[in-house]
């Protein structure tokens, strides 16, 4: 009764995995079935799943999570340069380094709650972004970006006597290369594992404690909880997810640049999570997919494509329609995204997942035995987004 | 020598010139039910706030089983076994009734922090069983899966009580546990508190309802204007002219 029963969770996980692995087929009608884009879905899905463990469960809104994405990418590229083209050291280093960064940034930022916490994380992110371009150029290679070169030492590979041909091989897992479709399937496995871990966290006493902190942090103190280490753990876990996502970015395209840490990237994961449904298991993945889809598909439309689409209309009407719709595509895809975001936030404050729950409830009212036991229980429970936890100190 | 659980030593609390508590000395004996009564604004809730670390006293200190509470964090005080039930319900509105009761059980079982994210909540049959029993005893068995935001005021009070009781405190501080309850619920609560009292738990209860006070309390302390004006057994308090005077103008008791 305290959470979904195991069978339902396993079922949800299996369905999720089936959807993810059949992405190449399912996405064909949407024109999105190519590996580069599907990889992005998976990588940003992971990023958002991790972000949701902080924001969705505790309500602490970080505006600087892209730092960990950047740290993950730089660490992975350095591992490719220094150790091996194998992704294991790279991803491990990405997760560990981003975890360390998250520990430091979280330790300081979590001294404050609410908007002050958000501002602190944003400040750290901007600081890291600027440092990457200035003082830290020896590590980040500044504006050129950090890339893997043929003459890099790769001590591990050298120690095992691996031969490098005339061309630098792409990152791989014992021959499983990280490019094209095989790269997608590797990211998909990571996404499913990341989803499974987040499900475990959601259903655990730790996860419920985080939700209680979001609901009433003050009361948690009088209930015997030291909330600070809980929040810091959630912060570090979500930072490590971001680091893994950043590491995967570097694995599928061995190049790291500071723009990955820009505040727009931090803001993007906030949008993904809210759009899909903060505090729900599936929402962040949906939001990530949707935003990456818009970014790639809508932005590739231009007037000539639109003219083709609306070619059946009389010329004058076609002209007007194309003029209007062209505002929403190409460079204007942000406008479409902005409108979509506004509509969702106003009408579905619980994100797309709230929409699905509502539909499911309308369809299933006859048979439903109360929302508490439905597979989407946590969707319903957290349909109201509290951007920040209550921060009221005991009044004096 | 009596066994003193809570020792409140010369506590003062000022709010920008307002003396909410002045020179309060109070000893709570082990196993007793001690009622604190007094008119509205007398400083009763403030006294509990000082005890649980919500407020720092301006002067004086509070000792629990010899340990100084003053300066400790609220969660440390709770972990010592001092549990407060709030006057205005401070429950977790985004959680179900059952989850609200399990949360305090977790901090009791696992301590102030535990990175317990590999076990599943629904595998903790012991926690769930006790929580369900507590809620059923309190007449809330039908609301287990409800979101607490949908509860009536009386039910929220009972939930508050359940959240305190499941922690099996050494010292239970109750702030007007029956306020806002219907008569029948009040009687049920008295019965429950009598049961708890029977287990030997030390209880401090702030209460307006004299029916509750006189049926439960072993000793009574009367606060007025932030000062202790009388202390004694229920019979001594009933006949005390100072107490009658302090209550003049208040609703008849
Ligand atoms: N946090 C606070 N800040 C300022 N004044 C307070 C605060 N808490 C209580 N007071 C004041 O202290 C006095 C005692 O309040 P309280 O302890 O709540 O009384 P009661 O005996 O009714 O529980 C009241 O005058 C109240 O207004
Ligand atoms: Mg009061």
């Amino acid at each position: 009764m305290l959470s979904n029963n195991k069978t339902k969770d396993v079922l949800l996980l299996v369905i999720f995995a089936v959807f993810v692995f059949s992405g190449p087929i399912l996405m064909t009608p949407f024109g999105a079935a190519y590996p580069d884009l599907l990889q992005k879905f998976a990588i940003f899905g992971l990023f958002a799943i991790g972000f949701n463990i902080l924001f969705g469960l505790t309500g602490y809104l970080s505006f600087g999570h892209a730092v960990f994405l950047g740290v993950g990418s730089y660490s992975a590229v350095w591992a490719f340069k220094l150790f091996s083209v194998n992704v294991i050291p790279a991803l491990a280093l990405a997760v560990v380094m981003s975890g360390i960064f998250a520990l430091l940034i979280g330790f300081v930022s979590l001294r404050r709650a609410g908007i002050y916490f958000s501002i602190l994380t944003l400040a750290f992110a901007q600081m890291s972004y600027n440092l990457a371009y200035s003082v830290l150029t020896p590590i980040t290679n500044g504006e050129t970006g950090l890339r893997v070169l043929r003459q890099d030492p790769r001590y591990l590979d050298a120690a095992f006597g691996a031969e490098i041909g005339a061309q630098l091989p792409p990152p791989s897992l014992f021959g499983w290369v990280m490019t094209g479709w095989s790269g997608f399937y590797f990211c998909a496995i990571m996404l499913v594992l990341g989803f499974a871990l987040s499900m475990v966290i959601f259903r655990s006493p730790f996860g419920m404690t985080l939700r209680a902190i979001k609901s009433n942090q003050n009361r948690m103190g009088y209930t015997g909880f030291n909330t600070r280490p809980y929040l810091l753990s959630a912060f570090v876990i979500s930072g490590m997810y971001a680091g893994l996502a950043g590491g995967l970015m570097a694995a599928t395209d061995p190049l790291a640049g500071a723009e990955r840490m820009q505040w727009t990237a931090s803001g993007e994961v906030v949008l993904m999570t809210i759009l899909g449904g903060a505090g729900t298991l599936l929402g962040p993945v949906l939001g990530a997919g949707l935003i990456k889809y818009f970014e790639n598909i809508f932005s590739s439309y231009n007037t000539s494509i639109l003219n083709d689409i609306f070619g059946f209309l009389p010329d004058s009407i076609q002209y007007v329609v194309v003029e209007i719709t062209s505002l929403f595509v190409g460079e204007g895809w942000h406008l479409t995204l902005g409108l979509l975001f506004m509509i969702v936030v106003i009408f579905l404050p619980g994100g797309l997942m709230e929409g699905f729950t509502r539909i499911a409830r309308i369809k299933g009212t006859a048979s439903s035995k109360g929302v508490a036991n439905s597979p989407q229980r946590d969707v319903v429970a957290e349909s109201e987004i509290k951007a920040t936890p209550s921060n009221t100190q005991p009044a004096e | 020598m009596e066994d003193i659980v809570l020792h409140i030593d010369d506590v003062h609390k000022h709010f920008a010139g307002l003396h909410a508590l002045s020179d309060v000395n109070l000893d709570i004996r082990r196993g007793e039910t001690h009622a604190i009564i007094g008119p509205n604004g007398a400083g009763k809730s403030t006294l509990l706030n000082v005890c649980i670390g919500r407020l720092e006293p301006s002067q004086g200190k509070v000792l629990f089983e010899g340990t100084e509470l003053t300066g400790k964090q609220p969660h440390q005080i709770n972990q010592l076994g001092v549990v407060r039930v709030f006057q205005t319900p401070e429950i977790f509105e985004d959680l179900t009734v059952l989850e609200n009761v399990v949360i305090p059980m977790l901090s009791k079982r696992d301590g102030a922090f535990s990175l317990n994210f590999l076990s599943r909540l629904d595998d903790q049959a012991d926690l769930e069983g006790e929580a369900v029993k507590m809620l059923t005893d309190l007449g809330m068995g039908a609301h287990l899966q409800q979101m607490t935001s949908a509860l009536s005021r009386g039910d929220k009070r009972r939930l508050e009580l359940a959240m305190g009781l499941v922690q099996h405190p050494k010292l239970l501080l109750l702030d007007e546990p029956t306020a806002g309850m219907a008569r029948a619920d009040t009687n049920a609560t008295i019965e429950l508190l009598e049961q708890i009292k029977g287990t030997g738990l030390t209880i401090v209860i702030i209460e307006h309802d004299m029916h509750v006070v006189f049926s439960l309390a072993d000793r009574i302390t009367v606060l007025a204007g932030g000062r202790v004006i009388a202390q004694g057994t229920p019979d001594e308090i009933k006949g005390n002219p100072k107490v009658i005077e302090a209550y003049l103008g208040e609703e008849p008791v």
Side-chain angles (χ1 to χ4, degrees):
Chain A
M1 259 197 287
L2 271 170
S3 71
N4 283 345
N5 66 42
K6 241 175 266 177
T7 342
K8 272 184 189 160
D9 277 353
V10 171
L11 198 66
L12 179 60
L13 185 62
V14 169
I15 294 173
F16 180 78
V18 168
F19 263 87
V20 171
F21 290 121
S22 48
I25 302 163
L26 293 175
M27 285 296 136
T28 309
F30 302 99
Y34 49 99
D36 282 7
L37 183 55
L38 290 184
Q39 266 170 21
K40 270 192 191 155
F41 285 3
I43 292 173
F44 280 91
L46 262 177
F47 187 21
I49 286 176
F51 184 77
N52 186 45
I53 289 172
L54 179 70
F55 175 56
L57 288 181
T58 73
Y60 274 69
L61 178 56
S62 161
F63 257 113
H65 252 51
V67 175
F68 310 122
L69 207 63
V71 169
S73 285
Y74 282 125
S75 308
V77 174
W78 271 112
F80 291 138
K81 290 166 86 68
L82 290 179
F83 305 133
S84 167
V85 291
N86 191 305
V87 292
I88 291 179
L91 294 181
L93 191 68
V95 171
V96 169
M97 288 306 291
S98 55
I100 293 172
F101 269 73
L103 193 65
L104 297 174
I105 294 180
F107 183 79
V108 177
S109 306
L110 286 167
R111 318 226 126 233
R112 290 283 169 273
I115 188 76
Y116 301 101
F117 166 79
S118 305
I119 299 284
L120 279 171
T121 52
L122 178 62
F124 273 113
Q126 279 310 92
M127 200 167 77
S128 311
Y129 172 68
N130 286 318
L131 285 179
Y133 274 135
S134 53
V135 191
L136 296 178
T137 7
I139 298 173
T140 62
N141 206 19
E143 286 178 34
T144 330
L146 190 65
R147 50 178 69 246
V148 184
L149 303 170
R150 209 185 156 277
Q151 64 269 28
D152 284 330
R154 277 184 291 278
Y155 295 112
L156 270 180
D157 285 356
F160 286 98
E163 282 296 315
I164 298 264
Q167 255 206 319
L168 181 70
S172 64
L173 179 71
F174 306 115
W176 179 357
V177 290
M178 293 299 132
T179 49
W181 284 116
S182 65
F184 160 72
Y185 280 108
F186 184 77
C187 294
I189 290 173
M190 288 307 194
L191 175 65
V192 171
L193 291 178
F195 181 79
L197 178 62
S198 107
M199 182 186 261
V200 167
I201 291 176
F202 266 61
R203 306 295 190 231
S204 69
F206 176 75
M208 186 171 72
T209 309
L210 295 182
R211 283 194 292 131
I213 291 175
K214 176 183 181 179
S215 186
N216 192 345
Q217 187 176 349
N218 267 325
R219 173 65 202 241
M220 285 303 271
Y222 305 115
T223 313
F225 288 95
N226 189 2
T227 52
R228 189 74 60 71
Y230 277 100
L231 291 165
L232 189 56
S233 309
F235 195 90
V236 171
I237 291 171
S238 77
M240 289 163 99
Y241 266 90
L244 177 63
L248 286 172
M249 280 180 190
T252 52
D253 178 14
L255 168 76
E259 75 287 341
R260 227 159 252 182
M261 301 204 263
Q262 220 176 350
W263 68 270
T264 45
S266 295
E268 196 180 51
V269 74
V270 179
L271 295 193
M272 289 169 175
T273 310
I274 294 180
L275 189 65
T280 67
L281 278 171
L282 284 169
V285 188
L286 270 181
L290 201 68
I291 286 184
K292 284 295 147 190
Y293 180 78
F294 269 70
E295 181 185 292
N296 284 270
I297 304 296
F298 274 63
S299 65
S300 68
Y301 279 44
N302 54 30
T303 14
S304 74
I305 296 180
L306 288 176
N307 272 319
D308 284 350
I309 294 175
F310 296 110
F312 63 92
L313 294 167
D315 273 1
S316 54
I317 300 178
Q318 178 189 346
Y319 175 76
V320 175
V321 170
V322 168
E323 278 299 296
I324 293 174
T325 44
S326 67
L327 289 175
F328 295 90
V329 297
E331 291 281 292
W333 77 273
H334 281 112
L335 181 61
T336 319
L337 182 63
L339 286 174
L340 180 72
F341 189 71
M342 279 191 266
I343 291 169
V344 167
V345 168
I346 292 170
F347 295 104
L348 293 172
L352 295 173
M353 288 310 287
E354 188 190 345
F356 294 135
T357 323
R358 282 196 198 167
I359 294 170
R361 238 184 302 171
I362 293 168
K363 279 193 180 160
T365 29
S367 64
S368 77
K369 296 191 204 88
V371 286
N373 286 321
S374 81
Q376 301 302 346
R377 188 190 69 137
D378 48 337
V379 179
V380 182
E382 269 117 50
S383 59
E384 263 176 51
I385 293 179
K386 279 195 186 159
T388 50
S390 63
N391 180 29
T392 40
Q393 296 298 315
E396 193 161 340
Chain B
M1 181 69 206
E2 270 162 341
D3 188 3
I4 301 301
V5 178
L6 190 73
H7 176 61
I8 297 172
D9 184 15
D10 188 27
V11 164
H12 292 244
K13 181 68 198 176
H14 308 171
F15 295 117
L18 172 78
H19 290 234
L21 293 174
S22 307
D23 196 21
V24 174
N25 286 287
L26 183 59
D27 281 343
I28 308 295
R29 299 174 193 155
R30 189 174 302 278
E32 77 169 333
T33 297
H34 196 117
I36 298 178
I37 63 170
N40 263 325
K44 306 181 295 292
S45 297
T46 304
L47 186 60
L48 292 198
N49 281 333
V50 168
C51 292
I52 59 152
R54 190 178 224 177
L55 295 174
E56 284 274 312
S58 315
Q59 189 187 318
K61 60 183 183 205
V62 180
L63 299 178
F64 172 72
E65 294 187 331
T67 314
E68 182 155 353
L69 297 186
T70 321
K72 278 209 170 19
Q73 302 241 18
H75 71 263
Q76 295 172 315
I77 296 176
N78 177 283
Q79 288 287 340
L80 286 174
V82 181
V83 173
R84 159 91 177 265
V85 171
F86 287 86
Q87 181 173 6
T88 36
E90 284 234 13
I91 50 187
F92 303 105
E93 301 265 349
D94 309 309
L95 269 53
T96 66
V97 170
L98 185 60
E99 286 172 333
N100 264 269
V101 177
V102 170
I103 282 284
M105 299 172 82
L106 284 177
S107 74
K108 172 79 181 175
R109 190 189 68 181
D110 301 340
F113 173 66
S114 137
L115 198 54
N116 185 359
F117 69 81
L118 290 180
S119 66
R120 282 181 64 90
L121 268 173
D122 53 0
D123 286 341
Q124 334 258 319
D126 48 334
L127 290 190
E128 187 174 327
E130 194 186 339
V132 170
K133 182 172 182 309
M134 175 64 70
L135 286 164
T136 313
D137 285 352
L138 282 167
M140 295 182 68
H143 301 299
L144 296 179
Q145 301 290 353
Q146 238 176 46
M147 302 309 292
T148 53
S149 46
L151 292 181
S152 72
R153 213 183 123 68
D155 278 344
K156 284 186 182 174
R157 306 303 322 269
R158 279 192 279 183
L159 180 57
E160 267 280 346
L161 194 58
M163 290 165 73
L165 290 177
V166 286
Q167 286 202 312
H168 300 293
K170 290 182 183 163
L171 172 63
L172 183 64
L173 308 173
L174 299 167
D175 199 346
E176 307 208 17
T178 65
M181 277 191 195
R183 187 79 250 172
D185 288 342
T186 304
N187 289 337
T189 308
I190 293 176
E191 248 173 66
L192 180 85
L193 291 177
E194 262 161 2
Q195 269 177 35
I196 300 164
K197 189 177 141 89
T199 66
L201 178 63
T202 314
I203 303 174
V204 173
I205 178 169
I206 294 177
E207 187 52 73
H208 254 104
D209 187 331
M210 289 305 137
H211 173 61
V212 180
V213 171
F214 288 116
S215 53
L216 282 175
D218 301 311
R219 287 197 304 152
I220 299 175
T221 294
V222 187
L223 273 185
R227 290 178 184 280
V228 176
I229 59 163
Q231 198 174 72
T233 63
D235 287 336
E236 287 164 9
I237 294 298
K238 262 181 205 160
N240 188 319
K242 273 205 225 160
V243 178
I244 296 165
E245 186 192 333
Y247 270 93
L248 278 182
E250 272 276 305
E251 67 207 274
V253 288

